[in-house]
């Protein structure tokens, strides 16, 4: 099984500052087709998760350009530039190279 | 627009079979490349993928639960279903269905709470 390990944030993060969330996979998520099968979601309190980034670095429709995804085959980062109150919630990474698995989540709090 | 909505029994007893329905609109499960998944989330915990069914009727299951899961679809009525046999308290969770166009969940339902209790 591919295990997804997420890092923690130094909460609370001051409003307007940037925040980077890390995610590490136990196996490279780079597919032979050149795509990296890693996605990011935000789950705001009391809501369903919403897609932020797919294929490691492609922003989903309607997602603010303050969100960006990057990484290699096994180490990934979701960067939020200039965090805002609406960014509060839990962020999950998810792989789909083999079955589908989520990371354990990273909570973002704003000061 | 794309919407999904889950429905279920609310509460059931240990050892019973849980039956869930995902009713959706704005897309068809007969469209090439489209799949629907079930994901669950125990209270205060993370997300767990359960099963996926795709347009050509291929299915995938979480290996840790595979023996207890059955996913199916009714394309003409725009519904997907999940059955979980022999439930126990560990199956208490919010259950979501979500659309997968290409390996990512782009639309999610609001979720349905299921409680297993005697």
């Amino acid at each position: 099984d591919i295990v997804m390990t997420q890092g923690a944030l130094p909460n609370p993060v001051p409003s307007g500052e940037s925040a980077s969330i890390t995610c590490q996979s136990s196996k490279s998520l780079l597919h032979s087709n050149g795509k990296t099968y890693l996605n990011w979601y935000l789950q705001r309190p009391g809501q369903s998760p919403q897609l932020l980034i797919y294929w490691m670095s492609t922003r989903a429709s309607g997602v603010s350009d303050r969100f960006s995804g990057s990484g290699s085959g096994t180490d990934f980062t979701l960067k939020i530039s200039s965090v805002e109150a609406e960014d509060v919630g839990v962020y999950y990474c998810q792989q789909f190279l083999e079955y589908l698995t989520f990371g354990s989540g990273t909570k973002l709090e704003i000061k | 627009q794309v919407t999904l909505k889950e429905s279920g029994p609310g509460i059931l007893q240990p050892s019973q079979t849980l039956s869930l329905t995902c009713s959706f609109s704005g897309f068809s499960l007969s469209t090439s490349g489209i799949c629907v998944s079930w994901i669950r989330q125990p209270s205060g915990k993370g997300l767990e993928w359960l099963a996926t069914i795709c347009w050509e009727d291929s299915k995938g299951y979480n290996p840790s639960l595979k023996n207890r899961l059955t996913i199916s679809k009714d394309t003409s009525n725009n519904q997907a279903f999940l059955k979980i046999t022999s439930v126990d308290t560990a199956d208490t969770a919010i259950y979501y269905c979500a659309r997968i166009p290409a390996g990512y969940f782009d639309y999610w339902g609001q979720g349905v709470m299921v409680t297993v209790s005697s």
Side-chain angles (χ1 to χ4, degrees), chain A residues 25 27-39 54-58 71-74 76 94-98, chain B residues 101-104:
Chain A
S25 61
K27 180 176 178 177
S28 175
L29 302 183
L30 177 61
H31 192 271
S32 56
N33 63 11
K35 290 184 171 67
T36 301
Y37 286 177
L38 187 281
N39 308 317
Y54 60 94
W55 299 345
M56 190 177 71
S57 59
T58 302
S72 63
T74 58
F76 309 97
Q94 173 245 323
Q95 68 81 21
F96 62 100
L97 186 72
E98 294 176 3
Chain B
Y104 50 87

mmCIF file of all heavy atoms in Angstrom, chain A residues 25 27-39 54-58 71-74 76 94-98, chain B residues 101-104:
data_model
loop_
_atom_site.group_PDB
_atom_site.id
_atom_site.type_symbol
_atom_site.label_atom_id
_atom_site.label_comp_id
_atom_site.label_asym_id
_atom_site.label_seq_id
_atom_site.Cartn_x
_atom_site.Cartn_y
_atom_site.Cartn_z
ATOM 1 N N SER A 25 4.998 10.601 -0.133
ATOM 2 C CA SER A 25 4.453 9.286 -0.466
ATOM 3 C C SER A 25 5.526 8.231 -0.318
ATOM 4 O O SER A 25 6.715 8.499 -0.504
ATOM 5 C CB SER A 25 3.879 9.273 -1.882
ATOM 6 O OG SER A 25 4.879 9.550 -2.828
ATOM 7 N N LYS A 27 5.964 5.791 -2.212
ATOM 8 C CA LYS A 27 6.358 5.322 -3.530
ATOM 9 C C LYS A 27 6.192 6.471 -4.507
ATOM 10 O O LYS A 27 5.316 7.321 -4.335
ATOM 11 C CB LYS A 27 5.471 4.145 -3.941
ATOM 12 C CG LYS A 27 5.754 3.554 -5.297
ATOM 13 C CD LYS A 27 4.859 2.337 -5.537
ATOM 14 C CE LYS A 27 5.101 1.761 -6.927
ATOM 15 N NZ LYS A 27 4.293 0.542 -7.171
ATOM 16 N N SER A 28 7.033 6.508 -5.525
ATOM 17 C CA SER A 28 6.915 7.562 -6.517
ATOM 18 C C SER A 28 5.538 7.547 -7.170
ATOM 19 O O SER A 28 5.020 6.485 -7.524
ATOM 20 C CB SER A 28 7.981 7.405 -7.599
ATOM 21 O OG SER A 28 7.770 8.378 -8.611
ATOM 22 N N LEU A 29 4.937 8.721 -7.302
ATOM 23 C CA LEU A 29 3.606 8.846 -7.901
ATOM 24 C C LEU A 29 3.693 9.294 -9.358
ATOM 25 O O LEU A 29 2.679 9.658 -9.958
ATOM 26 C CB LEU A 29 2.765 9.837 -7.089
ATOM 27 C CG LEU A 29 2.569 9.486 -5.611
ATOM 28 C CD1 LEU A 29 1.666 10.505 -4.930
ATOM 29 C CD2 LEU A 29 2.014 8.071 -5.461
ATOM 30 N N LEU A 30 4.889 9.257 -9.923
ATOM 31 C CA LEU A 30 5.077 9.632 -11.318
ATOM 32 C C LEU A 30 4.670 8.469 -12.209
ATOM 33 O O LEU A 30 5.260 7.386 -12.157
ATOM 34 C CB LEU A 30 6.536 10.016 -11.575
ATOM 35 C CG LEU A 30 6.890 10.368 -13.022
ATOM 36 C CD1 LEU A 30 6.088 11.578 -13.501
ATOM 37 C CD2 LEU A 30 8.380 10.623 -13.142
ATOM 38 N N HIS A 31 3.635 8.691 -13.023
ATOM 39 C CA HIS A 31 3.148 7.656 -13.928
ATOM 40 C C HIS A 31 3.974 7.660 -15.210
ATOM 41 O O HIS A 31 4.615 8.664 -15.544
ATOM 42 C CB HIS A 31 1.669 7.920 -14.242
ATOM 43 C CG HIS A 31 0.961 6.795 -14.921
ATOM 44 N ND1 HIS A 31 0.937 6.664 -16.299
ATOM 45 C CD2 HIS A 31 0.269 5.752 -14.426
ATOM 46 C CE1 HIS A 31 0.241 5.596 -16.613
ATOM 47 N NE2 HIS A 31 -0.176 5.015 -15.488
ATOM 48 N N SER A 32 3.926 6.575 -15.918
ATOM 49 C CA SER A 32 4.673 6.466 -17.174
ATOM 50 C C SER A 32 4.189 7.464 -18.226
ATOM 51 O O SER A 32 4.887 7.755 -19.195
ATOM 52 C CB SER A 32 4.586 5.043 -17.727
ATOM 53 O OG SER A 32 3.230 4.678 -17.888
ATOM 54 N N ASN A 33 2.992 8.005 -18.015
ATOM 55 C CA ASN A 33 2.472 8.992 -18.981
ATOM 56 C C ASN A 33 2.982 10.405 -18.691
ATOM 57 O O ASN A 33 2.577 11.366 -19.347
ATOM 58 C CB ASN A 33 0.941 8.980 -18.978
ATOM 59 C CG ASN A 33 0.329 9.390 -17.656
ATOM 60 O OD1 ASN A 33 1.015 9.876 -16.771
ATOM 61 N ND2 ASN A 33 -0.972 9.180 -17.508
ATOM 62 N N GLY A 34 3.834 10.523 -17.663
ATOM 63 C CA GLY A 34 4.432 11.820 -17.353
ATOM 64 C C GLY A 34 3.665 12.606 -16.308
ATOM 65 O O GLY A 34 4.156 13.618 -15.804
ATOM 66 N N LYS A 35 2.458 12.174 -15.971
ATOM 67 C CA LYS A 35 1.675 12.867 -14.952
ATOM 68 C C LYS A 35 2.028 12.308 -13.569
ATOM 69 O O LYS A 35 2.343 11.135 -13.413
ATOM 70 C CB LYS A 35 0.179 12.685 -15.205
ATOM 71 C CG LYS A 35 -0.357 13.412 -16.437
ATOM 72 C CD LYS A 35 -1.866 13.257 -16.541
ATOM 73 C CE LYS A 35 -2.448 14.152 -17.614
ATOM 74 N NZ LYS A 35 -2.036 13.786 -18.966
ATOM 75 N N THR A 36 1.954 13.189 -12.579
ATOM 76 C CA THR A 36 2.157 12.776 -11.195
ATOM 77 C C THR A 36 0.804 12.727 -10.521
ATOM 78 O O THR A 36 0.095 13.738 -10.446
ATOM 79 C CB THR A 36 3.095 13.748 -10.471
ATOM 80 O OG1 THR A 36 4.350 13.777 -11.148
ATOM 81 C CG2 THR A 36 3.317 13.304 -9.018
ATOM 82 N N TYR A 37 0.444 11.573 -10.003
ATOM 83 C CA TYR A 37 -0.926 11.328 -9.541
ATOM 84 C C TYR A 37 -1.118 11.720 -8.073
ATOM 85 O O TYR A 37 -1.360 10.874 -7.216
ATOM 86 C CB TYR A 37 -1.289 9.870 -9.776
ATOM 87 C CG TYR A 37 -1.554 9.534 -11.220
ATOM 88 C CD1 TYR A 37 -1.833 8.218 -11.605
ATOM 89 C CD2 TYR A 37 -1.550 10.504 -12.208
ATOM 90 C CE1 TYR A 37 -2.106 7.887 -12.920
ATOM 91 C CE2 TYR A 37 -1.809 10.191 -13.537
ATOM 92 C CZ TYR A 37 -2.090 8.882 -13.884
ATOM 93 O OH TYR A 37 -2.357 8.556 -15.185
ATOM 94 N N LEU A 38 -1.031 13.017 -7.830
ATOM 95 C CA LEU A 38 -1.152 13.563 -6.484
ATOM 96 C C LEU A 38 -2.114 14.748 -6.518
ATOM 97 O O LEU A 38 -1.945 15.656 -7.357
ATOM 98 C CB LEU A 38 0.226 14.003 -5.982
ATOM 99 C CG LEU A 38 0.440 14.476 -4.544
ATOM 100 C CD1 LEU A 38 -0.016 15.917 -4.322
ATOM 101 C CD2 LEU A 38 -0.240 13.557 -3.521
ATOM 102 N N ASN A 39 -3.114 14.715 -5.631
ATOM 103 C CA ASN A 39 -4.122 15.771 -5.582
ATOM 104 C C ASN A 39 -4.180 16.370 -4.187
ATOM 105 O O ASN A 39 -3.780 15.749 -3.205
ATOM 106 C CB ASN A 39 -5.499 15.201 -5.926
ATOM 107 C CG ASN A 39 -5.502 14.430 -7.224
ATOM 108 O OD1 ASN A 39 -4.910 14.857 -8.213
ATOM 109 N ND2 ASN A 39 -6.158 13.273 -7.210
ATOM 110 N N TYR A 54 -4.885 19.231 -8.798
ATOM 111 C CA TYR A 54 -4.814 17.849 -9.255
ATOM 112 C C TYR A 54 -3.582 17.647 -10.134
ATOM 113 O O TYR A 54 -3.012 18.626 -10.653
ATOM 114 C CB TYR A 54 -6.099 17.414 -9.981
ATOM 115 C CG TYR A 54 -6.460 18.202 -11.219
ATOM 116 C CD1 TYR A 54 -6.064 17.771 -12.486
ATOM 117 C CD2 TYR A 54 -7.215 19.374 -11.127
ATOM 118 C CE1 TYR A 54 -6.411 18.477 -13.619
ATOM 119 C CE2 TYR A 54 -7.570 20.084 -12.251
ATOM 120 C CZ TYR A 54 -7.175 19.636 -13.496
ATOM 121 O OH TYR A 54 -7.516 20.341 -14.616
ATOM 122 N N TRP A 55 -3.182 16.387 -10.280
ATOM 123 C CA TRP A 55 -1.965 16.038 -11.020
ATOM 124 C C TRP A 55 -0.764 16.863 -10.527
ATOM 125 O O TRP A 55 0.034 17.363 -11.326
ATOM 126 C CB TRP A 55 -2.166 16.217 -12.521
ATOM 127 C CG TRP A 55 -3.247 15.340 -13.091
ATOM 128 C CD1 TRP A 55 -3.843 14.255 -12.507
ATOM 129 C CD2 TRP A 55 -3.883 15.510 -14.353
ATOM 130 N NE1 TRP A 55 -4.807 13.750 -13.336
ATOM 131 C CE2 TRP A 55 -4.863 14.484 -14.481
ATOM 132 C CE3 TRP A 55 -3.747 16.411 -15.393
ATOM 133 C CZ2 TRP A 55 -5.675 14.345 -15.606
ATOM 134 C CZ3 TRP A 55 -4.551 16.270 -16.526
ATOM 135 C CH2 TRP A 55 -5.496 15.250 -16.612
ATOM 136 N N MET A 56 -0.673 17.053 -9.265
ATOM 137 C CA MET A 56 0.394 17.708 -8.506
ATOM 138 C C MET A 56 0.399 19.234 -8.614
ATOM 139 O O MET A 56 0.658 19.928 -7.626
ATOM 140 C CB MET A 56 1.784 17.185 -8.925
ATOM 141 C CG MET A 56 2.919 17.645 -8.023
ATOM 142 S SD MET A 56 4.514 16.956 -8.462
ATOM 143 C CE MET A 56 4.858 17.830 -9.996
ATOM 144 N N SER A 57 0.105 19.771 -9.772
ATOM 145 C CA SER A 57 0.312 21.216 -9.928
ATOM 146 C C SER A 57 -0.769 21.946 -10.722
ATOM 147 O O SER A 57 -0.639 23.154 -10.958
ATOM 148 C CB SER A 57 1.667 21.481 -10.602
ATOM 149 O OG SER A 57 1.720 20.852 -11.865
ATOM 150 N N THR A 58 -1.829 21.258 -11.125
ATOM 151 C CA THR A 58 -2.888 21.903 -11.902
ATOM 152 C C THR A 58 -3.980 22.396 -10.970
ATOM 153 O O THR A 58 -4.601 21.594 -10.255
ATOM 154 C CB THR A 58 -3.483 20.940 -12.941
ATOM 155 O OG1 THR A 58 -2.447 20.466 -13.807
ATOM 156 C CG2 THR A 58 -4.555 21.652 -13.767
ATOM 157 N N GLY A 71 6.352 19.662 -6.554
ATOM 158 C CA GLY A 71 6.957 18.486 -5.959
ATOM 159 C C GLY A 71 7.739 17.642 -6.927
ATOM 160 O O GLY A 71 7.965 18.030 -8.087
ATOM 161 N N SER A 72 8.162 16.480 -6.413
ATOM 162 C CA SER A 72 8.898 15.505 -7.218
ATOM 163 C C SER A 72 8.043 14.251 -7.273
ATOM 164 O O SER A 72 6.828 14.338 -7.178
ATOM 165 C CB SER A 72 10.246 15.224 -6.558
ATOM 166 O OG SER A 72 10.028 14.640 -5.277
ATOM 167 N N GLY A 73 8.673 13.084 -7.381
ATOM 168 C CA GLY A 73 7.881 11.864 -7.420
ATOM 169 C C GLY A 73 7.322 11.444 -6.074
ATOM 170 O O GLY A 73 6.272 10.800 -6.010
ATOM 171 N N THR A 74 8.019 11.807 -4.984
ATOM 172 C CA THR A 74 7.591 11.354 -3.658
ATOM 173 C C THR A 74 7.397 12.482 -2.652
ATOM 174 O O THR A 74 6.861 12.235 -1.567
ATOM 175 C CB THR A 74 8.628 10.378 -3.055
ATOM 176 O OG1 THR A 74 9.897 11.046 -2.989
ATOM 177 C CG2 THR A 74 8.756 9.115 -3.894
ATOM 178 N N PHE A 76 5.956 16.378 -1.949
ATOM 179 C CA PHE A 76 5.047 17.359 -2.541
ATOM 180 C C PHE A 76 4.775 18.494 -1.569
ATOM 181 O O PHE A 76 4.839 18.315 -0.344
ATOM 182 C CB PHE A 76 3.723 16.676 -2.924
ATOM 183 C CG PHE A 76 3.927 15.435 -3.739
ATOM 184 C CD1 PHE A 76 3.927 14.192 -3.133
ATOM 185 C CD2 PHE A 76 4.175 15.514 -5.094
ATOM 186 C CE1 PHE A 76 4.156 13.043 -3.858
ATOM 187 C CE2 PHE A 76 4.406 14.377 -5.842
ATOM 188 C CZ PHE A 76 4.402 13.139 -5.230
ATOM 189 N N GLN A 94 -3.774 13.318 -1.654
ATOM 190 C CA GLN A 94 -4.375 12.039 -2.067
ATOM 191 C C GLN A 94 -3.642 11.511 -3.289
ATOM 192 O O GLN A 94 -3.374 12.263 -4.221
ATOM 193 C CB GLN A 94 -5.858 12.244 -2.397
ATOM 194 C CG GLN A 94 -6.565 11.039 -2.998
ATOM 195 C CD GLN A 94 -7.031 11.280 -4.422
ATOM 196 O OE1 GLN A 94 -7.459 12.388 -4.772
ATOM 197 N NE2 GLN A 94 -6.952 10.267 -5.272
ATOM 198 N N GLN A 95 -3.322 10.224 -3.286
ATOM 199 C CA GLN A 95 -2.664 9.615 -4.448
ATOM 200 C C GLN A 95 -3.639 8.675 -5.145
ATOM 201 O O GLN A 95 -4.558 8.120 -4.517
ATOM 202 C CB GLN A 95 -1.391 8.869 -4.025
ATOM 203 C CG GLN A 95 -1.606 7.617 -3.185
ATOM 204 C CD GLN A 95 -1.963 6.366 -3.981
ATOM 205 O OE1 GLN A 95 -1.708 6.271 -5.178
ATOM 206 N NE2 GLN A 95 -2.581 5.376 -3.334
ATOM 207 N N PHE A 96 -3.427 8.513 -6.443
ATOM 208 C CA PHE A 96 -4.251 7.540 -7.159
ATOM 209 C C PHE A 96 -3.435 6.690 -8.124
ATOM 210 O O PHE A 96 -3.943 6.186 -9.128
ATOM 211 C CB PHE A 96 -5.433 8.218 -7.862
ATOM 212 C CG PHE A 96 -5.054 9.208 -8.920
ATOM 213 C CD1 PHE A 96 -5.078 8.892 -10.257
ATOM 214 C CD2 PHE A 96 -4.688 10.511 -8.572
ATOM 215 C CE1 PHE A 96 -4.755 9.811 -11.237
ATOM 216 C CE2 PHE A 96 -4.356 11.440 -9.541
ATOM 217 C CZ PHE A 96 -4.394 11.080 -10.877
ATOM 218 N N LEU A 97 -2.154 6.531 -7.816
ATOM 219 C CA LEU A 97 -1.328 5.643 -8.645
ATOM 220 C C LEU A 97 -1.732 4.193 -8.415
ATOM 221 O O LEU A 97 -1.858 3.414 -9.364
ATOM 222 C CB LEU A 97 0.147 5.840 -8.313
ATOM 223 C CG LEU A 97 1.101 5.076 -9.218
ATOM 224 C CD1 LEU A 97 1.129 5.701 -10.603
ATOM 225 C CD2 LEU A 97 2.504 5.021 -8.628
ATOM 226 N N GLU A 98 -1.916 3.820 -7.163
ATOM 227 C CA GLU A 98 -2.359 2.473 -6.798
ATOM 228 C C GLU A 98 -3.521 2.608 -5.822
ATOM 229 O O GLU A 98 -3.340 3.120 -4.717
ATOM 230 C CB GLU A 98 -1.216 1.700 -6.131
ATOM 231 C CG GLU A 98 -0.052 1.418 -7.038
ATOM 232 C CD GLU A 98 1.096 0.746 -6.297
ATOM 233 O OE1 GLU A 98 0.954 0.446 -5.095
ATOM 234 O OE2 GLU A 98 2.148 0.522 -6.937
ATOM 235 N N PRO B 101 -13.375 12.285 -12.634
ATOM 236 C CA PRO B 101 -13.207 12.342 -14.085
ATOM 237 C C PRO B 101 -11.845 11.819 -14.555
ATOM 238 O O PRO B 101 -11.717 11.341 -15.668
ATOM 239 C CB PRO B 101 -13.347 13.834 -14.393
ATOM 240 C CG PRO B 101 -12.867 14.513 -13.152
ATOM 241 C CD PRO B 101 -13.183 13.594 -12.002
ATOM 242 N N ALA B 102 -10.835 11.921 -13.702
ATOM 243 C CA ALA B 102 -9.480 11.508 -14.114
ATOM 244 C C ALA B 102 -8.560 11.338 -12.913
ATOM 245 O O ALA B 102 -7.481 11.905 -12.883
ATOM 246 C CB ALA B 102 -8.887 12.535 -15.080
ATOM 247 N N GLY B 103 -9.005 10.563 -11.936
ATOM 248 C CA GLY B 103 -8.148 10.272 -10.791
ATOM 249 C C GLY B 103 -8.288 11.241 -9.643
ATOM 250 O O GLY B 103 -7.649 11.060 -8.608
ATOM 251 N N TYR B 104 -9.076 12.281 -9.810
ATOM 252 C CA TYR B 104 -9.285 13.221 -8.708
ATOM 253 C C TYR B 104 -10.788 13.400 -8.496
ATOM 254 O O TYR B 104 -11.585 13.257 -9.417
ATOM 255 C CB TYR B 104 -8.623 14.571 -9.001
ATOM 256 C CG TYR B 104 -8.952 15.178 -10.353
ATOM 257 C CD1 TYR B 104 -10.083 15.974 -10.531
ATOM 258 C CD2 TYR B 104 -8.132 14.946 -11.457
ATOM 259 C CE1 TYR B 104 -10.383 16.515 -11.771
ATOM 260 C CE2 TYR B 104 -8.429 15.483 -12.690
ATOM 261 C CZ TYR B 104 -9.557 16.268 -12.843
ATOM 262 O OH TYR B 104 -9.853 16.801 -14.073
#
